[in-house]
Amino acid sequence: MIDGATVLRFPWPSVERQRLGVAFGMWTFLASEILFFGGLFLSYAVYRSLYPQAFAVASHATSMFYGTINTALLLTSSFVMTLALHASKKRARALVVSCLLLTAAFGLAFLAVKGLEYAEDIDKGLIPGPGFTLEPDTTRLFFALYWVMTGIHAIHLAIGVALVVYLGAALLSERMATESPAVEATSLYWHFVDSIWLVLYALIYLPGRHAP
Amino acid sequence: MSQIAAVEPPPEESPTCTSYLDAGHTLVSWLTTTDHKRIGILYAIAITLFFFIAGFAIGLARLELMSPRGMLLTDEGYNRLFTLHGIVMVWFFLVPSIPATFGNFLIPLMIGARDVAFPRLNLLSWYIYLIGAGFTCYAIVAGGVDTGWTFYTPFSSLYANGNVVAAAAGVFVAGFSSIATGVNLITTTHMLRAPGMGWFRLPLFVWAIYATSLVMVLATPVLAMTLLLIVAERLFHLPVFNPHEGGDPILFQHLFWFYSHPAVYIMVLPAMGVISEVFSCFARRRVFGYVMMIYALLGIAIIGFFVWGHHMFVAGQSQYASLVFSFLSFMVAVPSAIKVFNWTATLYRGSISFEAPMIYAMGFLGLFTIGGLTGLFVASIPIDVHVTDTYFVVAHFHFIMVGGTVSAFFAALHFWWPKITGKLYSEAWARFAAIIMFLGFNTTFLPQFIMGYGGMPRRYHVYPQEFQVYHVISSMGALVLFAAYTLPLVYLGWSLFYGKRAGPNPWGATGLEWQTPSPPPEHNFDEIPRVDAPPYNYHPEKEEAFEPQGRS
Ligand code: HEM
Ligand SMILES: [Cu+2]
């Protein structure tokens, strides 16, 4: 081992086993997360099939511009995250740390853009409730789901940023070994949050776009 | 695993290993422990507290029901009491009961691991559970909730005037604790089995907790999301379930029962695991159809995901959906019946001894069978339309959840008590409590089938005179039941101070957990054991000399 921090933790019998186990545990957790979002996706499917026109109208009111920028930002962040993982396997500590910080930066950029988009949405009166401006009424359902889905995604992403920063800091201060399984676990989580965004992008910004 | 023929305790505990109880005596050492055994005990203490809180609530309600006019409580007050009872019992007692206490304590011991896969996550999930409980307690203290434990919309999201947000937040948070426990136990079972401990050498208790954990991980998040939507609707007026705005309240029920039917298997699968261990030990026989029992567990867990619609026969779902859900509900009965028949076959020609855990387990067998059979009644559309929201349903699910799960919980408690504490309890008192519990249970819930079938609706506290006699019998039964639940506190507590020391294996049982000293050492095994035989290696023919030490 190149650095002082140990990889093996109690109660694992070997580093190999631990690596497998940590990844396995993360996948299990992600299965759970998929069902968490699954409840929302199901609600979305129900209401979209009940009110297809309203959903097309509502989707037109969202900002394709911000949505697309954000998709690009997240895809890039995932790429950098993958570099971090590779570097960790090669035990290139400095490279891992810089990739992690870059990943976090892309994540923060996403959140900033999302904030701008939210501000514009509020301006346009797209919060269901008294000031809601869009017609017909059932577009509120779309926006109810919009706020919940993107809100929860943003919380997930914020947690992701915190994890990545924590990991980077731990590596930088040599409290954690470069090849720690935590890097893989964090990257799995990060990719998951990105994948959810890809689905959201398709659900929120694209419906009815081909129509005039 | 090598056969444990000798039941004698080793003359001297090996001095190298301290027991997990002696590893630290301060409160801080308990509250910061990452030892799965101590965490199991932390859970046990917490859920016992909630069991009695919820019990007192329903005790009051049963007192109210003694008279048809309802003189003790207001309508509101009554609603809040049964809601409190339901929420706390289901989410803060039943769901964590066996998996979080005995699962935590025993799974690593049974598979030959030093701890669960993620010890710190394990401790964290106990704290998450407490935070959830804190929210719910706040909701109670602040005046309670009146929605029933099911939070049906649009009542819960638009009209209810109790603390729905706090209560829902409590359940939401507690859900994460059960997901974390599930992830932990699944990973442990996959990754930390001792050499030679193949999947088909696992004790059925491990299989049961494994299947339960799968259900926890896959069903709980859907409930979490559903509760979040209610909270969003109440706080921010998002119209997801509001019919005035095009929302669909029935969607709530689909999402809710998608979790909550599987949740009944979160409660009952671990119970099934316990019963298999206890039966084979006290009948001194291998579990009949061991492999089939595993498939039955998995079958129940899987089909359980596809039957939620049987809670919605009268809720306005399409009749075709109802037909399918009815059919699938009958399908669950098949693996359940396999389990019951196999247990019976295990007992057949076994050399049975009626120690206290065995009596509790026998109680389980009878009560679970009645609960399961009446499940077929309510899964039949015409009968369900007649008995929906009557005491018939109340009796049905109490037979499963209380008669089944709680009996099994007590069986487990008595079976593994000597292992956990290193002490033997008074066998006579324990048997007495077990029998009283069975009698009290039946006195409480059998009359509810009759009055439910006769039309007594659930959730009402004023009712026609003709039902009074049943209600009075039921309330008397509840009193007996209450006594039966409190007794173990006394004699088990007593055993802690004055009980005889238990050897490592007082019942002469098989299984790795019985090969460690009682109480087990801090890290379970000095050396990870090798397993070289199938489980339940009992040999009744060679066992004439068997005399459990549990007797006193
Ligand atoms: C195995 C453990 C079981 C448990 C713990 C359990 C628990 C419950 C609970 C808590 C309810 C009440 C729902 C409410 O408040 O409306 C219920 C209702 C119901 N159960 Fe079970 N149950 C179990 C097994 C079964 C089985 C095997 C079946 C069918 C074969 C079944 C069919 C039903 C049906 C159809 C209802 C709905 C009744 C109605 O709403 O009118 N249950 N059960
Ligand atoms: Cu059900």
Side-chain angles (χ1 to χ4, degrees), chain A residues 10-12 17 21 24-25 32 35-36 40 47 51 140-141 152, chain B residues 116-117 187 190-191 217-218 221 225 228 239-240 245-246 248 523:
Chain A
F10 184 79
W12 296 96
R17 200 79 194 140
F24 181 92
S32 179
L35 276 135
F36 185 68
L40 286 174
Y47 291 135
Y51 314 111
R140 287 162 203 236
L141 284 168
I152 292 175
Chain B
V116 294
T187 312
H190 269 270
M191 294 291 166
V217 166
L218 296 178
M225 183 51 74
L228 205 68
V240 187
E245 310 246 7
D248 187 353
H523 292 324

PDB file of all heavy atoms in Angstrom, chain A residues 10-12 17 21 24-25 32 35-36 40 47 51 140-141 152, chain B residues 116-117 187 190-191 217-218 221 225 228 239-240 245-246 248 523:
ATOM      1  N   PHE A  10     -13.207  -3.494   9.691  1.00  0.00           N
ATOM      2  CA  PHE A  10     -13.980  -4.511  10.375  1.00  0.00           C
ATOM      3  C   PHE A  10     -15.382  -4.537   9.776  1.00  0.00           C
ATOM      4  O   PHE A  10     -15.935  -3.487   9.486  1.00  0.00           O
ATOM      5  CB  PHE A  10     -14.050  -4.125  11.868  1.00  0.00           C
ATOM      6  CG  PHE A  10     -14.739  -5.137  12.711  1.00  0.00           C
ATOM      7  CD1 PHE A  10     -14.084  -6.273  13.117  1.00  0.00           C
ATOM      8  CD2 PHE A  10     -16.055  -4.954  13.084  1.00  0.00           C
ATOM      9  CE1 PHE A  10     -14.724  -7.222  13.893  1.00  0.00           C
ATOM     10  CE2 PHE A  10     -16.701  -5.895  13.856  1.00  0.00           C
ATOM     11  CZ  PHE A  10     -16.025  -7.025  14.265  1.00  0.00           C
ATOM     12  N   PRO A  11     -16.041  -5.665   9.612  1.00  0.00           N
ATOM     13  CA  PRO A  11     -15.650  -7.039   9.889  1.00  0.00           C
ATOM     14  C   PRO A  11     -15.241  -7.818   8.656  1.00  0.00           C
ATOM     15  O   PRO A  11     -15.412  -9.027   8.618  1.00  0.00           O
ATOM     16  CB  PRO A  11     -16.943  -7.611  10.424  1.00  0.00           C
ATOM     17  CG  PRO A  11     -17.985  -6.962   9.564  1.00  0.00           C
ATOM     18  CD  PRO A  11     -17.450  -5.586   9.197  1.00  0.00           C
ATOM     19  N   TRP A  12     -14.720  -7.140   7.621  1.00  0.00           N
ATOM     20  CA  TRP A  12     -14.454  -7.860   6.373  1.00  0.00           C
ATOM     21  C   TRP A  12     -13.220  -8.741   6.486  1.00  0.00           C
ATOM     22  O   TRP A  12     -12.223  -8.343   7.067  1.00  0.00           O
ATOM     23  CB  TRP A  12     -14.278  -6.862   5.237  1.00  0.00           C
ATOM     24  CG  TRP A  12     -15.526  -6.109   4.983  1.00  0.00           C
ATOM     25  CD1 TRP A  12     -15.856  -4.887   5.466  1.00  0.00           C
ATOM     26  CD2 TRP A  12     -16.640  -6.547   4.226  1.00  0.00           C
ATOM     27  NE1 TRP A  12     -17.114  -4.525   5.046  1.00  0.00           N
ATOM     28  CE2 TRP A  12     -17.619  -5.536   4.289  1.00  0.00           C
ATOM     29  CE3 TRP A  12     -16.935  -7.692   3.488  1.00  0.00           C
ATOM     30  CZ2 TRP A  12     -18.856  -5.634   3.657  1.00  0.00           C
ATOM     31  CZ3 TRP A  12     -18.150  -7.792   2.853  1.00  0.00           C
ATOM     32  CH2 TRP A  12     -19.093  -6.775   2.941  1.00  0.00           C
ATOM     33  N   ARG A  17     -13.028  -8.903  -0.775  1.00  0.00           N
ATOM     34  CA  ARG A  17     -14.386  -9.168  -0.341  1.00  0.00           C
ATOM     35  C   ARG A  17     -15.089  -7.854   0.029  1.00  0.00           C
ATOM     36  O   ARG A  17     -16.244  -7.633  -0.270  1.00  0.00           O
ATOM     37  CB  ARG A  17     -14.322 -10.079   0.888  1.00  0.00           C
ATOM     38  CG  ARG A  17     -15.575 -10.822   1.183  1.00  0.00           C
ATOM     39  CD  ARG A  17     -15.694 -12.024   0.276  1.00  0.00           C
ATOM     40  NE  ARG A  17     -17.043 -12.530   0.350  1.00  0.00           N
ATOM     41  CZ  ARG A  17     -17.711 -12.970  -0.708  1.00  0.00           C
ATOM     42  NH1 ARG A  17     -17.160 -12.954  -1.894  1.00  0.00           N
ATOM     43  NH2 ARG A  17     -18.926 -13.430  -0.568  1.00  0.00           N
ATOM     44  N   GLY A  21     -18.361  -6.201  -1.448  1.00  0.00           N
ATOM     45  CA  GLY A  21     -19.472  -5.989  -0.530  1.00  0.00           C
ATOM     46  C   GLY A  21     -19.963  -4.551  -0.551  1.00  0.00           C
ATOM     47  O   GLY A  21     -21.168  -4.303  -0.563  1.00  0.00           O
ATOM     48  N   PHE A  24     -21.796  -4.017  -3.703  1.00  0.00           N
ATOM     49  CA  PHE A  24     -23.063  -4.738  -3.632  1.00  0.00           C
ATOM     50  C   PHE A  24     -24.080  -3.980  -2.779  1.00  0.00           C
ATOM     51  O   PHE A  24     -25.235  -3.816  -3.137  1.00  0.00           O
ATOM     52  CB  PHE A  24     -22.820  -6.131  -3.037  1.00  0.00           C
ATOM     53  CG  PHE A  24     -24.055  -6.972  -2.951  1.00  0.00           C
ATOM     54  CD1 PHE A  24     -24.404  -7.818  -3.982  1.00  0.00           C
ATOM     55  CD2 PHE A  24     -24.875  -6.907  -1.832  1.00  0.00           C
ATOM     56  CE1 PHE A  24     -25.547  -8.574  -3.911  1.00  0.00           C
ATOM     57  CE2 PHE A  24     -26.021  -7.662  -1.751  1.00  0.00           C
ATOM     58  CZ  PHE A  24     -26.356  -8.503  -2.788  1.00  0.00           C
ATOM     59  N   GLY A  25     -23.613  -3.496  -1.636  1.00  0.00           N
ATOM     60  CA  GLY A  25     -24.507  -2.746  -0.762  1.00  0.00           C
ATOM     61  C   GLY A  25     -25.037  -1.504  -1.447  1.00  0.00           C
ATOM     62  O   GLY A  25     -26.217  -1.177  -1.354  1.00  0.00           O
ATOM     63  N   SER A  32     -33.387   0.352  -4.200  1.00  0.00           N
ATOM     64  CA  SER A  32     -34.390   0.986  -3.354  1.00  0.00           C
ATOM     65  C   SER A  32     -34.710   2.392  -3.867  1.00  0.00           C
ATOM     66  O   SER A  32     -35.866   2.803  -3.963  1.00  0.00           O
ATOM     67  CB  SER A  32     -33.848   1.015  -1.932  1.00  0.00           C
ATOM     68  OG  SER A  32     -34.747   1.622  -1.077  1.00  0.00           O
ATOM     69  N   LEU A  35     -37.059   2.560  -6.785  1.00  0.00           N
ATOM     70  CA  LEU A  35     -38.471   2.450  -6.434  1.00  0.00           C
ATOM     71  C   LEU A  35     -38.981   3.719  -5.775  1.00  0.00           C
ATOM     72  O   LEU A  35     -40.153   4.055  -5.887  1.00  0.00           O
ATOM     73  CB  LEU A  35     -38.709   1.224  -5.564  1.00  0.00           C
ATOM     74  CG  LEU A  35     -38.861   0.025  -6.492  1.00  0.00           C
ATOM     75  CD1 LEU A  35     -38.092  -1.141  -6.008  1.00  0.00           C
ATOM     76  CD2 LEU A  35     -40.312  -0.278  -6.712  1.00  0.00           C
ATOM     77  N   PHE A  36     -38.096   4.440  -5.107  1.00  0.00           N
ATOM     78  CA  PHE A  36     -38.477   5.726  -4.517  1.00  0.00           C
ATOM     79  C   PHE A  36     -38.955   6.665  -5.618  1.00  0.00           C
ATOM     80  O   PHE A  36     -40.054   7.218  -5.564  1.00  0.00           O
ATOM     81  CB  PHE A  36     -37.260   6.289  -3.784  1.00  0.00           C
ATOM     82  CG  PHE A  36     -37.507   7.553  -3.026  1.00  0.00           C
ATOM     83  CD1 PHE A  36     -38.322   7.548  -1.913  1.00  0.00           C
ATOM     84  CD2 PHE A  36     -36.904   8.735  -3.416  1.00  0.00           C
ATOM     85  CE1 PHE A  36     -38.524   8.719  -1.189  1.00  0.00           C
ATOM     86  CE2 PHE A  36     -37.104   9.899  -2.699  1.00  0.00           C
ATOM     87  CZ  PHE A  36     -37.920   9.890  -1.588  1.00  0.00           C
ATOM     88  N   LEU A  40     -43.084   8.299  -8.080  1.00  0.00           N
ATOM     89  CA  LEU A  40     -43.329   9.543  -8.824  1.00  0.00           C
ATOM     90  C   LEU A  40     -43.552   9.265 -10.302  1.00  0.00           C
ATOM     91  O   LEU A  40     -44.441   9.836 -10.927  1.00  0.00           O
ATOM     92  CB  LEU A  40     -42.132  10.475  -8.660  1.00  0.00           C
ATOM     93  CG  LEU A  40     -42.004  11.136  -7.309  1.00  0.00           C
ATOM     94  CD1 LEU A  40     -40.710  11.910  -7.230  1.00  0.00           C
ATOM     95  CD2 LEU A  40     -43.176  12.048  -7.063  1.00  0.00           C
ATOM     96  N   TYR A  47     -51.137  10.447 -14.696  1.00  0.00           N
ATOM     97  CA  TYR A  47     -51.735  11.742 -15.042  1.00  0.00           C
ATOM     98  C   TYR A  47     -51.456  12.130 -16.485  1.00  0.00           C
ATOM     99  O   TYR A  47     -52.279  12.776 -17.120  1.00  0.00           O
ATOM    100  CB  TYR A  47     -51.232  12.819 -14.073  1.00  0.00           C
ATOM    101  CG  TYR A  47     -51.792  12.612 -12.688  1.00  0.00           C
ATOM    102  CD1 TYR A  47     -50.990  12.704 -11.562  1.00  0.00           C
ATOM    103  CD2 TYR A  47     -53.140  12.293 -12.521  1.00  0.00           C
ATOM    104  CE1 TYR A  47     -51.514  12.496 -10.296  1.00  0.00           C
ATOM    105  CE2 TYR A  47     -53.663  12.071 -11.266  1.00  0.00           C
ATOM    106  CZ  TYR A  47     -52.846  12.176 -10.158  1.00  0.00           C
ATOM    107  OH  TYR A  47     -53.365  11.946  -8.922  1.00  0.00           O
ATOM    108  N   TYR A  51     -54.409  13.179 -18.904  1.00  0.00           N
ATOM    109  CA  TYR A  51     -54.492  14.551 -19.427  1.00  0.00           C
ATOM    110  C   TYR A  51     -53.356  14.833 -20.395  1.00  0.00           C
ATOM    111  O   TYR A  51     -52.499  15.676 -20.137  1.00  0.00           O
ATOM    112  CB  TYR A  51     -54.427  15.565 -18.277  1.00  0.00           C
ATOM    113  CG  TYR A  51     -55.324  15.228 -17.110  1.00  0.00           C
ATOM    114  CD1 TYR A  51     -54.793  14.849 -15.890  1.00  0.00           C
ATOM    115  CD2 TYR A  51     -56.709  15.325 -17.247  1.00  0.00           C
ATOM    116  CE1 TYR A  51     -55.627  14.536 -14.818  1.00  0.00           C
ATOM    117  CE2 TYR A  51     -57.548  15.021 -16.180  1.00  0.00           C
ATOM    118  CZ  TYR A  51     -56.991  14.626 -14.964  1.00  0.00           C
ATOM    119  OH  TYR A  51     -57.819  14.319 -13.916  1.00  0.00           O
ATOM    120  N   ARG A 140     -51.712  22.042 -13.570  1.00  0.00           N
ATOM    121  CA  ARG A 140     -51.181  22.076 -12.195  1.00  0.00           C
ATOM    122  C   ARG A 140     -50.605  20.739 -11.777  1.00  0.00           C
ATOM    123  O   ARG A 140     -49.635  20.677 -11.011  1.00  0.00           O
ATOM    124  CB  ARG A 140     -52.298  22.374 -11.199  1.00  0.00           C
ATOM    125  CG  ARG A 140     -52.754  23.780 -11.234  1.00  0.00           C
ATOM    126  CD  ARG A 140     -54.106  23.836 -10.573  1.00  0.00           C
ATOM    127  NE  ARG A 140     -54.800  25.012 -11.056  1.00  0.00           N
ATOM    128  CZ  ARG A 140     -55.262  25.941 -10.254  1.00  0.00           C
ATOM    129  NH1 ARG A 140     -55.162  25.821  -8.965  1.00  0.00           N
ATOM    130  NH2 ARG A 140     -55.857  26.987 -10.762  1.00  0.00           N
ATOM    131  N   LEU A 141     -51.235  19.660 -12.251  1.00  0.00           N
ATOM    132  CA  LEU A 141     -50.733  18.336 -11.880  1.00  0.00           C
ATOM    133  C   LEU A 141     -49.316  18.157 -12.402  1.00  0.00           C
ATOM    134  O   LEU A 141     -48.440  17.652 -11.702  1.00  0.00           O
ATOM    135  CB  LEU A 141     -51.641  17.250 -12.441  1.00  0.00           C
ATOM    136  CG  LEU A 141     -52.936  17.091 -11.664  1.00  0.00           C
ATOM    137  CD1 LEU A 141     -53.913  16.223 -12.430  1.00  0.00           C
ATOM    138  CD2 LEU A 141     -52.633  16.475 -10.302  1.00  0.00           C
ATOM    139  N   ILE A 152     -36.647  16.795  -5.416  1.00  0.00           N
ATOM    140  CA  ILE A 152     -36.005  15.636  -4.800  1.00  0.00           C
ATOM    141  C   ILE A 152     -34.709  15.282  -5.515  1.00  0.00           C
ATOM    142  O   ILE A 152     -33.711  14.906  -4.888  1.00  0.00           O
ATOM    143  CB  ILE A 152     -36.968  14.443  -4.792  1.00  0.00           C
ATOM    144  CG1 ILE A 152     -38.092  14.762  -3.834  1.00  0.00           C
ATOM    145  CG2 ILE A 152     -36.270  13.172  -4.379  1.00  0.00           C
ATOM    146  CD1 ILE A 152     -39.151  13.734  -3.821  1.00  0.00           C
TER     147      ILE A 152
ATOM    148  N   VAL B 116     -22.281  -7.344  11.159  1.00  0.00           N
ATOM    149  CA  VAL B 116     -22.960  -7.090   9.889  1.00  0.00           C
ATOM    150  C   VAL B 116     -21.990  -6.361   8.959  1.00  0.00           C
ATOM    151  O   VAL B 116     -20.955  -5.858   9.393  1.00  0.00           O
ATOM    152  CB  VAL B 116     -24.236  -6.241  10.083  1.00  0.00           C
ATOM    153  CG1 VAL B 116     -25.280  -7.001  10.866  1.00  0.00           C
ATOM    154  CG2 VAL B 116     -23.917  -4.921  10.752  1.00  0.00           C
ATOM    155  N   ALA B 117     -22.392  -6.271   7.683  1.00  0.00           N
ATOM    156  CA  ALA B 117     -21.470  -5.726   6.689  1.00  0.00           C
ATOM    157  C   ALA B 117     -21.088  -4.284   6.997  1.00  0.00           C
ATOM    158  O   ALA B 117     -19.933  -3.895   6.823  1.00  0.00           O
ATOM    159  CB  ALA B 117     -22.091  -5.820   5.297  1.00  0.00           C
ATOM    160  N   THR B 187     -26.655  -7.425   2.360  1.00  0.00           N
ATOM    161  CA  THR B 187     -25.223  -7.490   2.047  1.00  0.00           C
ATOM    162  C   THR B 187     -24.512  -8.478   2.969  1.00  0.00           C
ATOM    163  O   THR B 187     -23.661  -9.253   2.521  1.00  0.00           O
ATOM    164  CB  THR B 187     -24.591  -6.096   2.190  1.00  0.00           C
ATOM    165  OG1 THR B 187     -25.418  -5.156   1.498  1.00  0.00           O
ATOM    166  CG2 THR B 187     -23.211  -6.063   1.600  1.00  0.00           C
ATOM    167  N   HIS B 190     -25.173 -11.992   1.800  1.00  0.00           N
ATOM    168  CA  HIS B 190     -24.496 -12.346   0.554  1.00  0.00           C
ATOM    169  C   HIS B 190     -22.995 -12.494   0.738  1.00  0.00           C
ATOM    170  O   HIS B 190     -22.382 -13.369   0.142  1.00  0.00           O
ATOM    171  CB  HIS B 190     -24.747 -11.253  -0.498  1.00  0.00           C
ATOM    172  CG  HIS B 190     -25.945 -11.519  -1.341  1.00  0.00           C
ATOM    173  ND1 HIS B 190     -25.894 -12.227  -2.513  1.00  0.00           N
ATOM    174  CD2 HIS B 190     -27.235 -11.195  -1.169  1.00  0.00           C
ATOM    175  CE1 HIS B 190     -27.100 -12.322  -3.038  1.00  0.00           C
ATOM    176  NE2 HIS B 190     -27.942 -11.698  -2.234  1.00  0.00           N
ATOM    177  N   MET B 191     -22.423 -11.610   1.540  1.00  0.00           N
ATOM    178  CA  MET B 191     -20.977 -11.427   1.484  1.00  0.00           C
ATOM    179  C   MET B 191     -20.205 -12.013   2.660  1.00  0.00           C
ATOM    180  O   MET B 191     -19.011 -12.194   2.561  1.00  0.00           O
ATOM    181  CB  MET B 191     -20.661  -9.926   1.421  1.00  0.00           C
ATOM    182  CG  MET B 191     -21.126  -9.283   0.145  1.00  0.00           C
ATOM    183  SD  MET B 191     -20.134  -9.900  -1.206  1.00  0.00           S
ATOM    184  CE  MET B 191     -21.063  -9.376  -2.611  1.00  0.00           C
ATOM    185  N   VAL B 217     -36.416  -3.303   1.281  1.00  0.00           N
ATOM    186  CA  VAL B 217     -35.653  -2.434   0.393  1.00  0.00           C
ATOM    187  C   VAL B 217     -36.488  -2.019  -0.811  1.00  0.00           C
ATOM    188  O   VAL B 217     -36.372  -0.902  -1.303  1.00  0.00           O
ATOM    189  CB  VAL B 217     -34.363  -3.159  -0.036  1.00  0.00           C
ATOM    190  CG1 VAL B 217     -33.715  -2.470  -1.196  1.00  0.00           C
ATOM    191  CG2 VAL B 217     -33.403  -3.218   1.137  1.00  0.00           C
ATOM    192  N   LEU B 218     -37.356  -2.914  -1.269  1.00  0.00           N
ATOM    193  CA  LEU B 218     -38.083  -2.603  -2.498  1.00  0.00           C
ATOM    194  C   LEU B 218     -39.447  -1.972  -2.264  1.00  0.00           C
ATOM    195  O   LEU B 218     -39.973  -1.306  -3.145  1.00  0.00           O
ATOM    196  CB  LEU B 218     -38.242  -3.874  -3.341  1.00  0.00           C
ATOM    197  CG  LEU B 218     -36.919  -4.464  -3.826  1.00  0.00           C
ATOM    198  CD1 LEU B 218     -37.149  -5.732  -4.615  1.00  0.00           C
ATOM    199  CD2 LEU B 218     -36.164  -3.454  -4.665  1.00  0.00           C
ATOM    200  N   PRO B 221     -39.486   2.395  -0.053  1.00  0.00           N
ATOM    201  CA  PRO B 221     -39.342   3.696  -0.716  1.00  0.00           C
ATOM    202  C   PRO B 221     -40.635   4.185  -1.354  1.00  0.00           C
ATOM    203  O   PRO B 221     -40.850   5.396  -1.429  1.00  0.00           O
ATOM    204  CB  PRO B 221     -38.266   3.441  -1.775  1.00  0.00           C
ATOM    205  CG  PRO B 221     -38.139   1.970  -1.886  1.00  0.00           C
ATOM    206  CD  PRO B 221     -38.508   1.421  -0.566  1.00  0.00           C
ATOM    207  N   MET B 225     -42.253   7.871  -0.667  1.00  0.00           N
ATOM    208  CA  MET B 225     -42.646   8.840  -1.683  1.00  0.00           C
ATOM    209  C   MET B 225     -44.105   9.251  -1.507  1.00  0.00           C
ATOM    210  O   MET B 225     -44.460  10.426  -1.630  1.00  0.00           O
ATOM    211  CB  MET B 225     -42.428   8.209  -3.055  1.00  0.00           C
ATOM    212  CG  MET B 225     -42.724   9.110  -4.178  1.00  0.00           C
ATOM    213  SD  MET B 225     -41.891  10.669  -3.989  1.00  0.00           S
ATOM    214  CE  MET B 225     -40.210  10.202  -4.369  1.00  0.00           C
ATOM    215  N   LEU B 228     -44.479  11.634   1.252  1.00  0.00           N
ATOM    216  CA  LEU B 228     -43.939  12.928   0.848  1.00  0.00           C
ATOM    217  C   LEU B 228     -44.971  13.695   0.029  1.00  0.00           C
ATOM    218  O   LEU B 228     -45.137  14.913   0.196  1.00  0.00           O
ATOM    219  CB  LEU B 228     -42.693  12.674   0.006  1.00  0.00           C
ATOM    220  CG  LEU B 228     -41.677  13.773  -0.040  1.00  0.00           C
ATOM    221  CD1 LEU B 228     -41.038  13.897   1.332  1.00  0.00           C
ATOM    222  CD2 LEU B 228     -40.621  13.444  -1.069  1.00  0.00           C
ATOM    223  N   PRO B 239     -51.588  19.682  -5.976  1.00  0.00           N
ATOM    224  CA  PRO B 239     -52.875  18.981  -6.065  1.00  0.00           C
ATOM    225  C   PRO B 239     -52.791  17.509  -6.439  1.00  0.00           C
ATOM    226  O   PRO B 239     -53.688  17.012  -7.104  1.00  0.00           O
ATOM    227  CB  PRO B 239     -53.572  19.765  -7.174  1.00  0.00           C
ATOM    228  CG  PRO B 239     -52.468  20.186  -8.059  1.00  0.00           C
ATOM    229  CD  PRO B 239     -51.270  20.400  -7.203  1.00  0.00           C
ATOM    230  N   VAL B 240     -51.771  16.786  -6.007  1.00  0.00           N
ATOM    231  CA  VAL B 240     -51.583  15.449  -6.576  1.00  0.00           C
ATOM    232  C   VAL B 240     -52.764  14.506  -6.333  1.00  0.00           C
ATOM    233  O   VAL B 240     -53.179  13.760  -7.210  1.00  0.00           O
ATOM    234  CB  VAL B 240     -50.292  14.812  -6.029  1.00  0.00           C
ATOM    235  CG1 VAL B 240     -50.006  13.509  -6.738  1.00  0.00           C
ATOM    236  CG2 VAL B 240     -49.140  15.763  -6.200  1.00  0.00           C
ATOM    237  N   GLU B 245     -58.937  19.201  -8.402  1.00  0.00           N
ATOM    238  CA  GLU B 245     -57.953  19.747  -9.330  1.00  0.00           C
ATOM    239  C   GLU B 245     -57.549  18.705 -10.362  1.00  0.00           C
ATOM    240  O   GLU B 245     -56.519  18.843 -11.004  1.00  0.00           O
ATOM    241  CB  GLU B 245     -56.710  20.198  -8.554  1.00  0.00           C
ATOM    242  CG  GLU B 245     -57.041  21.076  -7.380  1.00  0.00           C
ATOM    243  CD  GLU B 245     -56.526  22.485  -7.569  1.00  0.00           C
ATOM    244  OE1 GLU B 245     -56.031  22.796  -8.666  1.00  0.00           O
ATOM    245  OE2 GLU B 245     -56.634  23.260  -6.604  1.00  0.00           O
ATOM    246  N   GLY B 246     -58.318  17.639 -10.474  1.00  0.00           N
ATOM    247  CA  GLY B 246     -57.984  16.603 -11.439  1.00  0.00           C
ATOM    248  C   GLY B 246     -57.124  15.497 -10.844  1.00  0.00           C
ATOM    249  O   GLY B 246     -56.828  14.519 -11.505  1.00  0.00           O
ATOM    250  N   ASP B 248     -56.063  12.296  -8.297  1.00  0.00           N
ATOM    251  CA  ASP B 248     -56.783  11.034  -8.136  1.00  0.00           C
ATOM    252  C   ASP B 248     -56.524  10.435  -6.752  1.00  0.00           C
ATOM    253  O   ASP B 248     -55.430   9.943  -6.489  1.00  0.00           O
ATOM    254  CB  ASP B 248     -56.303  10.061  -9.218  1.00  0.00           C
ATOM    255  CG  ASP B 248     -57.111   8.784  -9.223  1.00  0.00           C
ATOM    256  OD1 ASP B 248     -57.945   8.611  -8.309  1.00  0.00           O
ATOM    257  OD2 ASP B 248     -56.897   7.958 -10.119  1.00  0.00           O
ATOM    258  N   HIS B 523     -16.637 -10.052  19.474  1.00  0.00           N
ATOM    259  CA  HIS B 523     -16.597 -10.154  18.026  1.00  0.00           C
ATOM    260  C   HIS B 523     -17.050 -11.520  17.534  1.00  0.00           C
ATOM    261  O   HIS B 523     -16.624 -11.984  16.483  1.00  0.00           O
ATOM    262  CB  HIS B 523     -15.207  -9.813  17.500  1.00  0.00           C
ATOM    263  CG  HIS B 523     -14.875  -8.365  17.692  1.00  0.00           C
ATOM    264  ND1 HIS B 523     -15.816  -7.378  17.564  1.00  0.00           N
ATOM    265  CD2 HIS B 523     -13.723  -7.734  18.016  1.00  0.00           C
ATOM    266  CE1 HIS B 523     -15.272  -6.202  17.795  1.00  0.00           C
ATOM    267  NE2 HIS B 523     -13.997  -6.383  18.084  1.00  0.00           N
TER     268      HIS B 523
END
